[in-house]
Amino acid sequence: MPVGKVEIPEGGRQKQADRRARTRSALLEAAARGLSTYGYANLVLERVASEAGYTRGALYHLFANKEELALAVVRWVEESWNAEVGRLADEEADPVEALLLMARGHAVYCRRDVAGVLMTLRMEFAGQDHPVGRAIAEIVDRVLAVCADRIAAGRASGAIPPGPPPHQTADAYLGALEGVTIPLAGHAPYDVELAERAVRGVLGLPPVPAAVGSPE
């Protein structure tokens, strides 16, 4: 009887792909929590695998090492942020409302325990030339560019008053947003309300007309 390559039925391949996707997702979430809490240097891969409900071997089957895992987490966090925050702002034609939507959406996103990954790693790799640090810097640069474009558009329409150059204002916008959402993460509804107040101040917009997200 000839021996050849064993053909896996289409349904079997799909089940394998589904299992792999579930394993990968669980490992990424566990690694994101670990990176937020312990940082990169103190991340223990065996602990990540255990918290995800898998063996260390399962982790190494998908990720060659800690660096590859951390880079995958950084990409995953960016993708989830874009899906939950960036996309909604992108769908708003008015640049000022898009900036306010981003601020409110980011505050809500920061209620998740994995939201601190980029901030933790950004601080850990500050001043270092490391692939993870470079990946985070690229993400921040992309967000800054989008914010600067919206600020410039708001200035052009007269909706945002004149001020420092758009890129510097975008830097201050993100700094103010992070300054509020980090200490107030999870403190709804005040995180959303104060995030909007903070970025309105940076942009030179009138104060919030009503308490955003406050109880009825």
Side-chain angles (χ1 to χ4, degrees), residues 57-142:
L59 186 150
Y60 279 114
H61 183 69
L62 293 173
F63 306 101
N65 49 45
K66 188 197 297 192
E67 181 181 302
E68 185 175 304
L69 175 61
L71 287 169
V73 169
V74 168
R75 288 191 295 269
W76 176 71
V77 170
E78 182 185 22
E79 289 167 2
S80 67
W81 188 90
N82 282 333
E84 298 176 29
V85 182
R87 179 180 58 79
L88 296 178
D90 291 342
E91 291 173 354
E92 174 55 57
D94 179 75
V96 176
E97 186 55 34
L99 288 164
L100 298 178
L101 274 173
M102 181 185 291
R104 294 192 291 262
H106 184 70
V108 172
Y109 182 80
C110 285
R111 294 171 185 172
R112 299 173 53 180
D113 58 359
V114 300
V117 169
L118 297 191
M119 177 55 63
T120 300
L121 295 180
R122 188 179 176 188
M123 294 175 63
E124 183 173 357
F125 289 108
Q128 300 181 45
D129 184 19
H130 189 279
V132 175
R134 290 197 298 270
I136 294 169
E138 289 168 4
I139 293 171
V140 173
D141 286 346
R142 284 193 287 272

Side-chain angles (χ1 to χ4, degrees), residues 107 111 180 184 186-196 212-215:
R111 294 171 185 172
V180 170
L184 290 182
H187 293 277
Y190 311 113
D191 50 356
V192 173
E193 178 181 341
L194 292 173
E196 176 163 355
V212 177
S214 293

Side-chain angles (χ1 to χ4, degrees), residues 30-49 51 66-67 69-70 120-121 123-125 128 130 132:
R33 289 192 297 271
L35 289 168
S36 293
T37 304
Y38 308 111
Y40 180 83
N42 295 318
L43 187 71
V44 178
L45 297 188
E46 187 170 2
R47 179 188 294 165
V48 170
E51 290 183 357
K66 188 197 297 192
E67 181 181 302
L69 175 61
T120 300
L121 295 180
M123 294 175 63
E124 183 173 357
F125 289 108
Q128 300 181 45
H130 189 279
V132 175

